[in-house]
Amino acid sequence: MTIPQISIFLENKTGQLADITGILSDNQVNMRAINIAETADYGVLRLIVDDAAKASSILLEQGFILTMTPVVGVAVTDTPGSLSKVLGVISHAGISVEYMYSVFGQKDGRACLIFRVADTDGLSEILEKNGIGTITGEDLGLH
């Protein structure tokens, strides 16, 4: 099961994040996760929001350049070694993690992580076979 992620390409200039979060707030779009990657010239803002279709439409209307990407959510126990176990399963299966980040809050006392890989279906299948459940958009309160 995948979750829709919005990736927004940003210039490295003051106020870009405030503009985007303000637009989302003004339109009652709630963020569930946020990640920022940057270089000297530009940044990529990755968001999981409660209504990806609405958010992407609004941001496109405002002139932002974005893409939608499927990602896999995983909930792990919030104890030492839990992430290492998940990454070991992924590595043993030969799946390369492009990037990962965490979700705001926890689900049932477990930490929630977002993984971007080339084969999201393969990752979901391998995790399930190893007793590691994935989370759904519904688990995160997405529309």
Side-chain angles (χ1 to χ4, degrees):
M1 175 61 76
T2 62
I3 296 169
Q5 171 192 266
I6 301 171
S7 296
I8 307 160
F9 299 93
L10 304 173
E11 296 176 56
N12 278 353
K13 68 179 190 178
T14 303
Q16 287 270 288
L17 291 175
D19 290 345
I20 290 171
T21 58
I23 290 166
L24 295 176
S25 174
D26 291 346
N27 288 280
Q28 301 300 304
V29 175
N30 196 5
M31 293 186 294
R32 300 292 190 221
I34 185 170
N35 175 272
I36 303 167
E38 50 85 25
T39 68
D41 300 320
Y42 66 92
V44 178
L45 173 65
R46 296 182 177 106
L47 297 172
I48 307 270
V49 297
D50 64 348
D51 192 336
K54 178 180 177 181
S56 61
S57 176
I58 292 164
L59 292 169
L60 285 168
E61 287 173 11
Q62 295 294 317
F64 290 97
I65 299 168
L66 60 88
T67 60
M68 296 285 284
T69 308
V71 293
V72 176
V74 178
V76 298
T77 57
D78 191 9
T79 57
S82 295
L83 175 59
S84 179
K85 176 185 174 190
V86 172
L87 292 173
V89 167
I90 293 170
S91 176
H92 183 74
I95 297 172
S96 178
V97 175
E98 294 176 24
Y99 56 83
M100 63 166 282
Y101 56 95
S102 62
V103 175
F104 297 153
Q106 296 181 337
K107 179 180 174 6
D108 302 326
R110 298 181 295 160
C112 297
L113 307 166
I114 299 297
F115 287 88
R116 172 65 182 142
V117 298
D119 180 5
T120 54
D121 291 336
L123 175 59
S124 295
E125 183 179 317
I126 245 355
L127 292 172
E128 294 292 335
K129 283 182 181 177
N130 283 274
I132 301 168
T134 58
I135 57 176
T136 65
E138 185 176 291
D139 292 328
L140 297 177
L142 310 184
H143 300 246

